[in-house]
Amino acid sequence: MSTLEIKDLHVSIETEQGVKAILKGVSLTINTGETHAIMGPNGSGKSTLAATIAGHPRYTVDSGSITLDGEDVLQMSVDQRARAGLFLAMQYPVEIPGVTMTNFLRTAKTAIDGEAPKLRTWTKDVKAAMAKLRIEPEFAERNVNEGFSGGEKKRHEILQLELLHPKFAILDETDSGLDVDALKIVSEGVNRSIETGGLGTVLITHYTRILRYIKPDFVHVFVDGAIAEQGGPELADRLEEEGYDRYQVAETASA
Amino acid sequence: MTELTEEKTTGEVWTQGFIKGMTEEGESLSEINPESGPLGGAAAKAHSHGGDSHGGGVGVPDSSRAGRLTSYKLADFPVITGREEEWRFTPLKRMRGLDRVGVKGQELNGPAPLVEVNKPDGVTVETVGREDSRIGSAGIPEDRVAAAAWENFAEATVVTLPAEFVGNSENVTTLTLTGQGEIPAASHIVVHAKKFATGVVVLDHRGTAVLSENVEILVEDGANLTVVSIQDWNDDAVHASAQHIKVGRDAKVKHVVINLGGNLLRTTPAARYSGTGAEVEMYGLYFADAGQHLEQRLFVDHSTKNCKSRVTYKGALQGENAHAVWIGDVLIRKQAEGTDTYEMNRNLILTKGARADSVPNLEIETGMIEGAGHASATGRFDDEQLFYLQARGIDEESARRLVVRGFLNEVIQQIKVPALEERLRETVERELEATAL
Ligand SMILES: Nc1ncnc2c1ncn2[C@@H]1O[C@H](COP(=O)(O)OP(=O)(O)OP(=O)(O)O)[C@@H](O)[C@H]1O
Ligand SMILES: [Mg+2]
């Protein structure tokens, strides 16, 4: 079993108006095999937490710690974190012109494993993983995320999740912008990683509908840069009915 | 008359955090003063013009590309001062006399590059004298340097693809043009695709030269010609190349400029239409290293109905005083109804000290068009792209290489001559190995 431990994390960013504190003391422990849902209003800092775990240079950790089986994650570069077994499925996956999916996936796999995958089995694995996620074979020759629809981008994030076998995955609103069919397909992909790979999962979402397909063990309510409440799956249902009012925040409309 | 000119001078990009525009086609342009814009210095601007949004023309101002002097005679052009619109970016001191032919006894009589030919059966390559009737069939000089070359070349090389010749990416005609030293020289090449001919012609410039060259590219009705002009000279070379393209009815031409080696390269392709329904694709790829000046100025002159043009130039720059200039003049004349045009330039600045100037210039004299647009962006690495790749385990150095390769690959992918694509990918690889990014 592996453990990803976040302790009293304070994070800020530099803006034109000066330094802005976003995370104000987040503590969270995730073990492999567990699924944690994080829900919270817009702007509460969910993506900031995800990006900080992955090591995005824009975010400054002012205090607190992140460790993976006791190793200091904050000392690692972005790529070292990925190689240590952390995976971030992004809310807005980036387009990379001129780099084909095939080339990208092979390069990433080689980097993560420390050696090039065996060509024949690799090609087969990629094809099979694409088929399961209902991704047309043509996408292999397309440039990374270029011209992909929102839903196609999200499927490709899960494709990478399934091919790279991380220990922990943080899925930042992977469900948003998906229709019901796509949501099912993507959820099945995540569940495969949980069942066969013992993945530890952090599911950031605004909606309970994805939680019908991916069952969370824990639900955390994120408000103004900190966890305001935690509980079991039942907490998600209550949030859906009641909103975040009782945490005394007005949710902005743009979710 | 609608005129849209945007000028981007980018020496300061390096100080910026990141530029969004590198990912968003036609969305973003960096600014002359990158500190003042939103997005921490990157600004976004792009234009696209639908056929319905612009009224009819009201004459052509002096600054219009249509008004530029054309002549075969050197004496018709005033001496270059460097202040002219078309010379203002060029370091004349480094032209080694090509700009001063006819002034204070400056001559242009050095030996022309040696021509080696590799061609399929059916295609002819001849060496002809100045009086040959095919000379002048596709072009006329538009600046003093090209006129000097026109007056001074001794012999021309004429490549002919006979009518209905069936060429493809396997049976390419290659002229290897090897520079013969540092004495200023003139040369002249004619590439002629007769009716319905298809094929690929490569002009492969190498060696040491101080050369002023005219290339005429004549594409007859229904022909489909690809011309790739590679400039991979030795470090000291100076090369001015005026490439005059004339496309006939329903003909297609793909023109590719690859500027890699040389101290100063100035490539000026101009495409003109002699019939309707024709299509011009222009691609350019350049990689400027420390001290290199790579300038590409193109012109597409839409003077006939229902023609199409697409321009895509991409460049990478690295090292102290690496300088790239891209000027894209597109003119849609009053009679050119149904025109469909789009031009795009992207520059990726890899290290400090490099500078790119990018100026798209679209003149529209009729509103009855299919579409007209342009985009230009200059930036350094997009931090979001690098983060994405690194978040998948790829180390920073490899991620940067992947991004540059991908960036230039967008042009290389379009050449569609596998052997040539392979060679260019290797060249890019070598350029990338030369510096720590
Ligand atoms: N680059 C930035 N510049 C300015 N403010 C930022 C920046 N990045 C994040 N913020 C601010 O930090 C706060 C947290 O943002 P974050 O994206 O983490 O929220 P979120 O919970 O993921 O919201 P959403 O549900 O809308 O995705 C917000 O107030 C946001 O405006
Ligand atoms: Mg978010």
Side-chain angles (χ1 to χ4, degrees):
Chain A
M1 190 188 75
S2 282
T3 304
L4 178 65
E5 197 168 9
I6 299 158
K7 272 195 198 149
D8 197 24
L9 192 68
H10 287 74
V11 171
S12 61
I13 55 159
E14 258 179 64
T15 68
E16 272 158 29
Q17 291 80 41
V19 176
K20 179 178 174 187
I22 302 179
L23 299 188
K24 301 163 183 170
V26 177
S27 296
L28 187 62
T29 301
I30 305 137
N31 295 307
T32 41
E34 294 175 358
T35 301
H36 295 246
I38 294 184
M39 305 183 75
N42 291 129
S44 55
K46 304 179 299 295
S47 291
T48 301
L49 175 65
T52 305
I53 295 170
H56 195 293
R58 191 185 304 140
Y59 302 94
T60 310
V61 176
D62 299 314
S63 62
S65 66
I66 304 177
T67 54
L68 175 57
D69 294 333
E71 297 271 331
D72 186 355
V73 169
L74 295 175
Q75 288 302 314
M76 300 179 196
S77 63
V78 176
D79 49 301
Q80 282 169 341
R81 294 177 198 206
R83 292 198 295 272
L86 300 180
F87 181 92
L88 169 62
M90 303 202 190
Q91 188 171 2
Y92 305 107
V94 181
E95 302 188 0
I96 307 181
V99 179
T100 62
M101 280 307 300
T102 301
N103 183 6
F104 167 63
L105 291 173
R106 198 188 334 105
T107 308
K109 184 66 177 171
T110 305
I112 298 274
D113 290 2
E115 59 177 358
K118 297 228 165 28
L119 199 61
R120 193 168 317 146
T121 50
W122 173 245
T123 313
K124 226 176 63 201
D125 291 351
V126 173
K127 273 197 186 136
M130 286 174 72
K132 281 188 204 143
L133 289 164
R134 313 269 202 289
I135 297 172
E136 297 296 326
E138 296 90 85
F139 278 86
E141 288 316 309
R142 285 182 57 178
N143 295 330
V144 178
N145 290 323
E146 199 177 63
F148 291 15
S149 72
E152 287 163 352
K153 284 181 183 169
K154 298 297 174 75
R155 283 183 213 205
H156 278 84
E157 294 292 287
I158 302 308
L159 175 66
Q160 293 164 46
L161 170 70
E162 289 203 73
L163 289 169
L164 298 178
H165 304 302
K167 290 184 185 138
F168 293 96
I170 300 127
L171 311 179
D172 191 358
E173 296 200 25
T174 299
D175 56 330
S176 59
L178 296 182
D179 59 28
V180 178
D181 289 340
L183 184 68
K184 272 190 205 160
I185 291 165
V186 159
S187 303
E188 282 165 17
V190 176
N191 285 331
R192 279 193 293 273
S193 289
I194 294 170
E195 278 152 28
T196 62
L199 185 73
T201 311
V202 178
L203 206 65
I204 297 174
T205 183
H206 281 280
Y207 310 104
T208 47
R209 66 173 189 158
I210 192 173
L211 305 181
R212 289 202 284 274
Y213 303 102
I214 305 171
K215 293 276 172 236
D217 303 301
F218 307 94
V219 174
H220 310 267
V221 185
F222 219 77
V223 179
D224 190 24
I227 293 173
E229 188 176 2
Q230 19 203 345
E234 73 289 345
L235 180 55
D237 297 326
R238 208 167 96 202
L239 286 173
E240 178 128 299
E241 277 161 35
E242 300 174 8
Y244 300 102
D245 284 351
R246 50 194 197 92
Y247 305 103
Q248 311 208 314
V249 289
E251 189 178 9
T252 43
S254 66
Chain B
M1 177 74 210
T2 308
E3 184 162 1
L4 292 153
T5 303
E6 276 180 19
E7 187 152 333
K8 301 290 161 285
T9 302
T10 314
E12 302 301 315
V13 205
W14 192 254
T15 59
Q16 295 176 218
F18 69 100
I19 293 186
K20 244 329 192 225
M22 302 312 292
T23 57
E24 255 147 44
E25 195 74 356
E27 283 280 299
S28 301
L29 295 173
S30 66
E31 290 208 321
I32 294 170
N33 177 1
E35 302 305 339
S36 64
L39 285 173
K45 230 190 257 173
H47 294 284
S48 209
H49 312 278
D52 53 358
S53 59
H54 293 287
V58 281
V60 176
D62 288 348
S63 64
S64 168
R65 184 65 203 242
R68 193 171 291 181
L69 173 67
T70 55
S71 171
Y72 296 110
K73 286 211 181 68
L74 175 65
D76 289 345
F77 292 91
V79 173
I80 301 166
T81 64
R83 290 186 295 275
E84 301 83 356
E85 169 56 35
E86 70 261 46
W87 292 103
R88 66 193 176 106
F89 290 111
T90 318
L92 296 177
K93 284 201 180 81
R94 285 158 58 187
M95 292 277 285
R96 299 175 74 175
L98 291 182
D99 58 319
R100 295 191 308 275
V101 176
V103 179
K104 292 184 187 156
Q106 175 69 51
E107 294 186 313
L108 190 64
N109 56 4
L114 193 75
V115 183
E116 276 169 87
V117 181
N118 197 320
K119 65 169 191 69
D121 289 342
V123 172
T124 59
V125 179
E126 306 155 73
T127 304
V128 303
R130 294 182 54 86
E131 66 296 337
D132 191 280
S133 63
R134 289 166 292 188
I135 291 165
S137 54
I140 180 162
E142 288 188 278
D143 64 49
R144 193 177 157 97
V145 171
W150 204 291
E151 273 192 4
N152 283 283
F153 76 88
E155 289 173 323
T157 304
V158 179
V159 180
T160 310
L161 277 58
E164 293 178 43
F165 178 77
V166 185
N168 54 44
S169 61
E170 305 281 293
N171 62 6
V172 172
T173 300
T174 304
L175 302 189
T176 304
L177 305 152
T178 307
Q180 296 299 294
E182 303 190 9
I183 308 171
S187 71
H188 199 104
I189 295 164
V190 178
V191 179
H192 184 181
K194 294 197 165 180
K195 280 187 181 159
F196 300 106
T198 60
V200 181
V201 176
V202 178
L203 309 176
D204 192 356
H205 300 84
R206 50 178 71 187
T208 289
V210 175
L211 178 69
S212 185
E213 174 188 53
N214 282 289
V215 178
E216 295 187 72
I217 299 164
L218 181 60
V219 191
E220 287 190 19
D221 295 355
N224 186 345
L225 176 69
T226 296
V227 174
V228 184
S229 184
I230 303 173
Q231 287 66 239
D232 199 3
W233 302 98
N234 293 343
D235 287 346
D236 53 351
V238 176
H239 182 208
S241 183
Q243 310 212 347
H244 317 268
I245 304 159
K246 193 160 146 189
V247 269
R249 187 189 172 100
D250 299 327
K252 276 190 184 170
V253 64
K254 185 192 285 187
H255 183 259
V256 186
V257 171
I258 311 285
N259 279 337
L260 298 168
N263 179 277
L264 189 161
L265 304 183
R266 190 174 189 276
T267 313
T268 50
R272 293 186 167 78
Y273 297 83
S274 59
T276 56
E279 194 177 321
V280 172
E281 282 177 88
M282 291 174 133
Y283 292 98
L285 182 159
Y286 44 92
F287 205 129
D289 291 320
Q292 275 190 305
H293 177 90
L294 305 183
E295 180 167 344
Q296 22 285 306
R297 291 178 164 265
L298 58 94
F299 179 36
V300 182
D301 187 352
H302 279 280
S303 59
T304 55
K305 284 185 186 172
N306 303 326
C307 287
K308 187 173 167 180
S309 60
R310 287 288 179 274
V311 177
T312 307
Y313 270 62
K314 298 186 88 170
L317 297 84
Q318 62 184 9
E320 214 41 55
N321 295 319
H323 189 194
V325 177
W326 177 86
I327 313 290
D329 291 340
V330 175
L331 170 62
I332 304 172
R333 294 183 193 258
K334 195 165 173 42
Q335 68 273 25
E337 291 175 5
T339 292
D340 178 6
T341 177
Y342 195 85
E343 59 168 345
M344 189 262 266
N345 175 230
R346 292 260 185 284
N347 293 294
L348 187 55
I349 298 193
L350 307 181
T351 69
K352 287 178 197 173
R355 166 192 163 123
D357 291 288
S358 178
V359 189
N361 180 14
L362 182 57
E363 292 176 74
I364 306 172
E365 294 174 4
T366 172
M368 309 289 284
I369 56 172
E370 279 290 307
H374 63 90
S376 149
T378 298
R380 68 177 185 93
F381 287 106
D382 181 334
D383 287 353
E384 295 302 320
Q385 289 181 355
L386 292 179
F387 175 68
Y388 189 76
L389 293 170
Q390 287 177 266
R392 298 300 178 250
I394 301 165
D395 68 87
E396 186 173 351
E397 174 87 10
S398 307
R400 285 177 190 276
R401 275 167 208 231
L402 207 56
V403 169
V404 183
R405 251 184 240 136
F407 175 78
L408 296 176
N409 199 27
E410 277 201 303
V411 171
I412 297 174
Q413 281 169 344
Q414 299 300 329
I415 298 176
K416 314 267 189 229
V417 180
L420 207 52
E421 290 180 26
E422 191 52 39
R423 170 179 158 190
L424 292 174
R425 284 197 185 95
E426 280 166 17
T427 308
V428 167
E429 226 46 53
R430 247 181 296 132
E431 294 274 1
L432 287 175
E433 268 156 33
T435 5
L437 295 177

